[in-house]
């Protein structure tokens, strides 16, 4: 069994430490001609595939680079929106690399908060079960 991430959360639910054992995920690079046969949409400030998976490109994969240059969310390295860039037939053929995006800092904080909530629920459930066990059997027939 592999450990992919470590999160240390304090009792108040704050994220103290987080470490990602980042292993490069499967990324797919493909050259496209105009028009693009994938449907791309902006989701959480990233451009992701919403329809038309093929050749290892899956729904939910994000655009990681265009023509070998990494992108910044929904913008090219030059600051132009990727969707606008891909609408222009003069930019084709274009090579696009797709893959699963890394978690943002905000997503890591939300994940740590969920761990904290689950831990609190578990503690409350354990204490409720202990109280029920001490009370003994109750109800009809007791």
């Amino acid at each position: 069994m592999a450990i992919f991430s470590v999160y240390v959360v304090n009792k108040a639910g704050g994220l103290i430490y987080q470490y990602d054992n980042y292993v490069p995920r499967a990324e797919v690079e493909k050259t496209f001609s105009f028009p693009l046969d994938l449907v791309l949409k902006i989701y959480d400030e990233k451009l992701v595939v919403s329809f038309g998976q093929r050749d290892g490109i899956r729904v939910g994969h994000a655009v990681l680079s265009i023509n070998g240059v990494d992108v910044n969310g929904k913008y090219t390295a030059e600051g132009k929106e990727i969707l606008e860039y891909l609408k222009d037939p003069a930019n084709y053929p274009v090579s696009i690399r797709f893959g699963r995006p890394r978690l943002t800092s905000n997503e890591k904080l939300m994940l740590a908060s969920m761990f904290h909530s689950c831990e609190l629920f578990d503690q409350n459930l354990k204490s409720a079960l202990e109280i029920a066990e001490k009370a003994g059997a109750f109800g009809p027939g007791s």
Side-chain angles (χ1 to χ4, degrees):
M1 184 164 84
I3 296 175
F4 295 103
S5 298
V6 175
Y7 292 86
V8 178
V9 182
N10 65 14
K11 286 188 177 188
L15 181 63
I16 295 174
Y17 178 77
Q18 178 273 323
Y19 173 75
D20 278 331
N21 184 19
Y22 182 70
V23 177
R25 298 178 178 158
E27 296 176 351
V28 179
E29 188 161 355
K30 183 153 181 60
T31 302
F32 295 92
S33 59
F34 188 81
L36 192 63
D37 57 351
L38 299 171
V39 178
L40 303 174
K41 291 194 176 176
I42 296 172
Y43 179 76
D44 282 344
E45 297 298 315
K46 300 174 198 132
L47 195 63
V48 298
V49 177
S50 65
F51 182 78
Q53 60 185 28
R54 58 175 266 205
D55 301 328
I57 302 167
R58 303 278 180 244
V59 171
H61 278 189
V63 174
L64 301 177
S65 71
I66 294 180
N67 294 330
V69 180
D70 289 343
V71 298
N72 300 319
K74 60 182 181 177
Y75 299 101
T76 63
E78 295 84 34
K80 187 175 182 183
E81 281 200 23
I82 298 171
L83 285 176
E84 295 300 319
Y85 180 85
L86 296 175
K87 286 181 183 175
D88 186 3
N91 294 326
Y92 287 83
V94 64
S95 176
I96 305 175
R97 184 169 46 103
F98 295 92
R100 294 193 55 197
R102 296 185 79 173
L103 292 176
T104 64
S105 297
N106 193 36
E107 290 168 334
K108 291 175 185 177
L109 287 170
M110 289 189 299
L111 188 60
S113 174
M114 285 192 305
F115 290 148
H116 181 256
S117 299
C118 290
E119 176 65 24
L120 286 178
F121 178 77
D122 183 51
Q123 288 174 0
N124 289 337
L125 186 61
K126 283 180 184 175
S127 64
L129 289 174
E130 287 173 4
I131 292 171
E133 286 176 357
K134 287 179 185 177
F138 55 88
S142 50

